[in-house]
Amino acid sequence: MSMSAIHRSISTFCFVIFIFAGLTIFLPAADFDVDSAGDWENPDSRTLAEALQNPMLDDGSTIILDTNITSGWTNWLAGSGYTIFSAPPLQISGGLLTFDLAGYEISGADLDIVTGNVTFLFQSGTLGTTGTNFGIGVNGDAKVTLHNIDLFAAILQIGSATTQGILTLQGTSTISAASLNVTGDGSLLSLSSGTSGTTVTAVNFSVLDGGTVDSNGGTISAVNLLVKGYGSRLTTNAGAAVSALSVEDGGALTINSGSTFNVSGNLKVSGVGVHEATVGDYYFLQSTLTVDGKLTVDGAILIEKGADADLSSLETFKAKAAQSLTIRNVFFHDLSGKYFQTTVTMDGDLIADDGTISVTGGAILTGVKNITATTDGTVTIDGVFSDKLSGTILQTSVAMGGVLDVDGGIIEITGGAKLIGTKDIFVSVGELLVEGADGEKFRSEIAGSGVLTISGNGTVDVKGGGLIGGRTGITVGDGTLNVSGMNAALMLSSTINSSGELVVGDGAVGTLTIDKGGLVTAGTTTIGQGVDESSVTVAGTGTGDRHSRLTITGDLILSESADASMTISQGGQVTVSGDTYLGNTDGKTATLTLAGRGGTGATDARLNTTGQVIVGNGGNVNLTIDRGGNVTSGKETILGKEATSNVTVSINSDHYRAAWQAGGMPQ
């Protein structure tokens, strides 16, 4: 016979009436009234757990409370221990059992709900612990739905490594806990769709070891939110606000369209989950952050150890004082040789504003628009990942599509890392450093297409085999460009390549130094275009007698509208495909000095011009060819072409051979 309800009354003996085919049956209802001493007023009545063993219970039954059942009244528990409801010996084998709390409270010191194949629905009241632990599916499987229920606990544990707990929130249900854990494959916390009134509030909220949280409505609020372990997952279609967020070891956080997820503190996405199905049969899950909605982060961001994160909704990340964006490392599994590079996708600007931004150790960052380092801000792109045993070498890389701007800060590309897709580069009151190589395969590099402009006492240093390529023009205004040295292991010269014009001293004092085997390639090169004296030095050799070189695919103009000097020494080489003009403006002076051999072959310091060399094209010229210097022109050399030019040529061959070789006689 099916029972539609068991009704618990206070201090009275009640009856529930069942009507079947005209037959009326009166059954005594359980009495759960206790006095302040904790003794049963009716010694024949049952505990709540005993009532659940009533053979009249069936799928769809409802138990209605009309009193609080609290931890002070210990006898309502089925003996002592942790379990409040247990199946078996629960008499229902499946279906739904409803507890209508009718505004009252069920609470105990330590509680666990175990339902087996039955779903318990608690509605309209309060459920919780006055002690420490509240479990749903900890000592056995459980399925629980809360409808307009407030649940409170110090520690709320849903599921375990060996059991499944499923908790669904409906209506205006809330959870308030110091610690909330959803643990184990199959365990689930679900905030039902269309229930914007549901809320989950916890100090520490953890989704562990395959547990799942689906937030289809309502809000999640936590101080610390952790999604950790192979297959652990949190998906939100609603709102969430946390102070700190960590996704680790194969966990996944998905923020769907229409959702807003606010992190007032730090964000961390780290690691790869590993599952060994059978001996030697490995499965891998990257820790992932997927954002189709809106993510905001006010603190530091760390993405590392093979994780995959989508930060595109941030639009612009500004690292202020004590803030940082760190993307680093590779996950490498020694037993299988499987690896995952840490990968981050963006769709906006990166700004280091008194803070730091770093991409290192083989990590990959894509989708960046512009990168800026302002006062005391630092951007570092560094290194490779190298596994010596397997021979795996993975380059750190950042892909962008906009402007690289050093405006008082520092941007460094070092250790074999690569910055690609760079358009214009602006450096003022700060430093851009491109240095070194990994020693095995990769050089540090900036690739792209656009101009390089240095102003405001800015400095660009290319060292140790570094490369800045794809420039369509280089302007060194009030600043310094240094291209120095080589990478000895890879035999690579530090290099800047430009298909366009090179200007040193554009309205200010500009300085270009190429030494120790460095190389600069550019189009027409003008030194001294402004009001103050600018200078170029090409000096020395590097490893393997690699000479420092300035290769000009157009003309060389020394002193266009300001005083200018060029020094070629210790085997340095300047090659001009066009003509060379020394001293172009009346009243301004061009100074050219060649001196000293370099390298084991004792190569001359050399200026080699395919076309004419015009010495004095309206301006003054001081030309010195000293011990080991050499000037060569494919066509004639013209001295003092304009009457306003004052030309001084000094050739000193006391010790080393000095030479001036012209295709035609000097005129």
Side-chain angles (χ1 to χ4, degrees), residues 92-147:
I92 302 176
S93 60
L96 176 68
L97 179 61
T98 301
F99 295 84
D100 188 350
L101 276 58
Y104 293 106
E105 176 182 311
I106 293 179
S107 62
D110 286 320
L111 305 177
D112 184 29
I113 297 178
V114 179
T115 72
N117 294 322
V118 183
T119 298
F120 282 5
L121 169 62
F122 293 88
Q123 61 185 24
S124 304
T126 303
L127 190 63
T129 62
T130 56
T132 302
N133 300 298
F134 192 124
I136 297 175
V138 174
N139 291 298
D141 293 345
K143 302 175 186 176
V144 175
T145 299
L146 305 183
H147 186 82

Side-chain angles (χ1 to χ4, degrees), residues 364-623:
I364 299 172
L365 172 61
T366 62
V368 180
K369 292 181 179 178
N370 304 303
I371 299 177
T372 302
T374 61
T375 305
D376 295 326
T378 301
V379 177
T380 300
I381 304 169
D382 177 67
V384 301
F385 168 83
S386 178
D387 181 73
K388 301 294 184 182
L389 185 62
S390 66
T392 302
I393 304 174
L394 302 170
Q395 187 177 31
T396 301
S397 67
V398 175
M400 63 181 297
V403 171
L404 185 67
D405 188 5
V406 183
D407 187 15
I410 298 172
I411 296 180
E412 302 173 327
I413 295 87
T414 56
K418 187 174 185 178
L419 176 62
I420 61 177
T422 307
K423 294 185 178 179
D424 294 342
I425 302 173
F426 299 103
V427 181
S428 60
V429 199
E431 180 185 8
L432 172 62
L433 172 65
V434 183
E435 181 175 18
D438 70 324
E440 298 179 69
K441 186 176 182 180
F442 298 110
R443 72 193 305 179
S444 303
E445 180 179 358
I446 296 178
S449 179
V451 301
L452 168 61
T453 302
I454 306 171
S455 62
N457 290 316
T459 300
V460 174
D461 289 318
V462 184
K463 300 179 179 180
L467 167 65
I468 298 178
R471 297 303 92 197
T472 58
I474 301 172
T475 300
V476 185
D478 184 10
T480 302
L481 174 58
N482 299 312
V483 184
S484 178
M486 299 180 59
N487 179 267
L490 299 181
M491 286 299 294
L492 295 172
S493 295
S494 302
T495 304
I496 295 183
N497 291 325
S498 174
S499 61
E501 186 179 11
L502 167 62
V503 177
V504 181
D506 184 22
V509 178
T511 302
L512 167 61
T513 300
I514 307 168
D515 65 2
K516 299 177 183 177
L519 168 65
V520 174
T521 300
T524 293
T525 297
T526 303
I527 306 165
Q529 180 173 286
V531 294
D532 296 304
E533 182 174 356
S534 296
S535 64
V536 171
T537 300
V538 184
T541 59
T543 303
D545 281 346
R546 189 71 60 84
H547 296 277
S548 301
R549 290 164 290 162
L550 171 59
T551 300
I552 301 170
T553 58
D555 296 335
L556 169 62
I557 302 168
L558 183 64
S559 181
E560 169 63 29
S561 56
D563 293 342
S565 66
M566 172 179 278
T567 300
I568 308 170
S569 65
Q570 305 304 315
Q573 307 286 300
V574 176
T575 302
V576 182
S577 296
D579 298 325
T580 294
Y581 298 89
L582 307 180
N584 264 17
T585 301
D586 183 17
K588 303 299 181 182
T589 300
T591 301
L592 174 61
T593 302
L594 298 97
R597 295 177 174 180
T600 56
T603 302
D604 289 346
R606 184 182 296 274
L607 170 62
N608 187 356
T609 301
T610 301
Q612 294 179 328
V613 175
I614 300 172
V615 183
N617 194 37
N620 302 322
V621 178
N622 293 319
L623 171 59

Side-chain angles (χ1 to χ4, degrees), residues 147-148 169-175 190-201 215-221 236-240 258:
H147 186 82
N148 298 338
L169 304 188
Q170 297 177 346
T172 58
S173 295
T174 65
I175 292 177
S190 175
L191 283 68
S192 296
S193 60
T195 53
S196 59
T198 59
T199 61
V200 174
T201 303
S215 177
N216 295 304
T219 59
I220 293 173
S221 177
T236 177
N237 293 294

Side-chain angles (χ1 to χ4, degrees), residues 109-430:
D110 286 320
L111 305 177
D112 184 29
I113 297 178
V114 179
T115 72
N117 294 322
V118 183
T119 298
F120 282 5
L121 169 62
F122 293 88
Q123 61 185 24
S124 304
T126 303
L127 190 63
T129 62
T130 56
T132 302
N133 300 298
F134 192 124
I136 297 175
V138 174
N139 291 298
D141 293 345
K143 302 175 186 176
V144 175
T145 299
L146 305 183
H147 186 82
N148 298 338
I149 289 287
D150 295 324
L151 189 154
F152 64 91
I155 299 175
L156 174 59
Q157 179 71 45
I158 303 172
S160 70
T162 58
T163 58
Q164 291 183 355
I166 298 176
L167 176 60
T168 302
L169 304 188
Q170 297 177 346
T172 58
S173 295
T174 65
I175 292 177
S176 179
S179 179
L180 168 57
N181 304 312
V182 183
T183 304
D185 188 19
S187 294
L188 168 67
L189 171 61
S190 175
L191 283 68
S192 296
S193 60
T195 53
S196 59
T198 59
T199 61
V200 174
T201 303
V203 177
N204 299 305
F205 186 179
S206 300
V207 187
L208 305 170
D209 302 329
T212 299
V213 175
D214 285 331
S215 177
N216 295 304
T219 59
I220 293 173
S221 177
V223 176
N224 301 302
L225 175 58
L226 172 65
V227 184
K228 183 176 182 179
Y230 189 98
S232 299
R233 177 173 60 85
L234 189 153
T235 302
T236 177
N237 293 294
V242 302
S243 296
L245 170 62
S246 294
V247 183
E248 303 178 19
D249 300 341
L253 172 62
T254 302
I255 304 169
N256 285 328
S257 178
S259 304
T260 299
F261 204 111
N262 298 317
V263 182
S264 61
N266 298 336
L267 166 64
K268 176 182 178 182
V269 186
S270 175
V272 175
V274 182
H275 172 64
E276 188 175 11
T278 58
V279 176
D281 185 17
Y282 297 101
Y283 292 84
F284 303 90
L285 281 177
Q286 290 177 274
S287 297
T288 59
L289 171 63
T290 304
V291 182
D292 291 321
K294 179 68 175 179
L295 171 68
T296 64
V297 182
D298 295 332
I301 298 176
L302 171 62
I303 317 294
E304 64 172 1
K305 299 178 182 178
D308 187 341
D310 177 4
L311 301 179
S312 57
S313 72
L314 293 179
E315 295 180 356
T316 295
F317 179 81
K318 179 178 286 190
K320 299 179 181 178
Q323 284 185 309
S324 62
L325 170 62
T326 303
I327 304 168
R328 65 189 184 190
N329 301 340
V330 171
F331 171 87
F332 190 87
H333 191 249
D334 291 332
L335 296 177
S336 66
K338 186 74 172 178
Y339 64 81
F340 295 89
Q341 290 179 266
T342 300
T343 304
V344 175
T345 302
M346 298 196 68
D347 186 21
D349 297 342
L350 289 179
I351 302 173
D353 182 14
D354 293 333
T356 61
I357 296 171
S358 65
V359 185
T360 62
I364 299 172
L365 172 61
T366 62
V368 180
K369 292 181 179 178
N370 304 303
I371 299 177
T372 302
T374 61
T375 305
D376 295 326
T378 301
V379 177
T380 300
I381 304 169
D382 177 67
V384 301
F385 168 83
S386 178
D387 181 73
K388 301 294 184 182
L389 185 62
S390 66
T392 302
I393 304 174
L394 302 170
Q395 187 177 31
T396 301
S397 67
V398 175
M400 63 181 297
V403 171
L404 185 67
D405 188 5
V406 183
D407 187 15
I410 298 172
I411 296 180
E412 302 173 327
I413 295 87
T414 56
K418 187 174 185 178
L419 176 62
I420 61 177
T422 307
K423 294 185 178 179
D424 294 342
I425 302 173
F426 299 103
V427 181
S428 60
V429 199

